[in-house]
């Protein structure tokens, strides 16, 4: 991949807020997560983990809790996505949020490259402070108390065209020369 290819990918990526119900093949989910695993992390400690949630009952639990935390009970904060990649990071690491954020950023670019829509949904921290969400982790053998929720990545096939990007602000880059 050239730098021009990478820039085209980065510029094309838009958050998706409407998904088709079609399931995402597990092989594609695994590829997206793998790119997250290769994200930079503080001191190379690789503090993030990703939990791929495709089971309808577990998705509904996460939707309900996230909507309650948001103060919008009954809504779908995941926009109908058939998959959510919950990104958590080791609570003990001082760079937990940064490490998880880099993983999420990598995964959003991977989703775009694979023809999938993705949207970073907040409130993972608050969601995984609740016993019901912690039980989902415990069922996987993950010590819930050892991790902090960083973000949820809604993932699936777009229900429509990607949004048109807003122009970039001109005062993004400053120089000290």
């Amino acid at each position: 991949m050239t730098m021009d290819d990478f820039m085209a990918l980065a510029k094309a990526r838009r958050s998706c807020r409407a998904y088709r119900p079609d399931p995402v093949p597990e092989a594609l989910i695994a590829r997206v997560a793998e790119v997250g695993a290769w994200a930079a992390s503080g001191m190379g400690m690789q503090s993030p983990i990703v939990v791929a949630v495709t089971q309808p009952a577990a998705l509904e639990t996460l939707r309900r809790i996230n909507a309650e935390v948001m103060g919008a009970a009954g809504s779908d904060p995941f926009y109908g996505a058939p998959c959510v990649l919950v990104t958590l990071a080791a609570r003990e690491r001082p760079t937990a949020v940064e490490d998880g954020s880099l993983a999420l950023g990598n995964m959003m670019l991977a989703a775009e490259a694979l023809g999938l829509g993705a949207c970073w949904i907040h409130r993972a921290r608050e969601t995984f402070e609740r016993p019901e969400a912690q039980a989902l982790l415990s069922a996987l053998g993950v010590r819930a108390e050892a991790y902090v929720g960083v973000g949820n990545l809604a993932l699936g096939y777009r229900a429509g065209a990607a949004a048109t990007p807003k122009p970039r602000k001109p005062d993004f880059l400053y120089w000290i020369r």
Side-chain angles (χ1 to χ4, degrees):
M1 172 182 273
T2 67
M3 184 60 179
D4 288 342
D5 293 336
F6 179 76
M7 286 299 295
L9 175 68
K11 289 178 178 181
R13 195 217 63 79
R14 305 266 59 85
S15 292
C16 178
R17 292 184 176 86
Y19 296 89
R20 298 190 330 235
D22 316 21
V24 179
E26 287 188 8
L28 290 183
I29 296 168
R31 288 193 74 191
V32 170
E34 180 183 14
V35 174
W38 283 95
S41 62
M43 297 181 68
M45 297 301 291
Q46 303 176 39
S47 72
I49 63 170
V50 172
V51 177
V53 182
T54 57
Q55 180 192 67
L59 278 171
E60 183 52 38
T61 296
L62 292 180
R63 281 187 175 100
R64 182 180 47 74
I65 295 171
N66 195 296
E68 288 171 4
V69 169
M70 182 172 51
S75 70
D76 180 1
F78 301 134
Y79 304 106
C83 176
V84 174
L85 298 180
V86 177
T87 304
L88 305 110
R91 189 178 299 278
E92 67 184 20
R93 297 295 310 149
T95 56
V97 171
E98 293 83 353
D99 295 349
S101 296
L102 285 168
L104 282 155
N106 273 16
M107 291 189 296
M108 288 189 292
L109 289 171
E112 183 67 31
L114 292 169
L116 298 169
C119 187
W120 181 338
I121 308 298
H122 294 284
R123 298 169 297 281
R125 179 181 49 81
E126 298 90 342
T127 296
F128 283 89
E129 288 173 348
R130 297 205 178 175
E132 195 175 359
Q134 290 176 352
L136 295 173
L137 299 178
S138 296
L140 296 171
V142 175
R143 288 183 34 245
E145 70 279 359
Y147 290 91
V148 61
V150 177
N152 304 289
L153 190 66
L155 185 71
Y157 295 101
R158 292 181 182 280
T164 302
K166 296 177 185 174
R168 300 295 98 170
K169 61 182 184 178
D171 58 346
F172 176 78
L173 175 64
Y174 289 83
W175 292 90
I176 299 175
R177 295 183 171 129

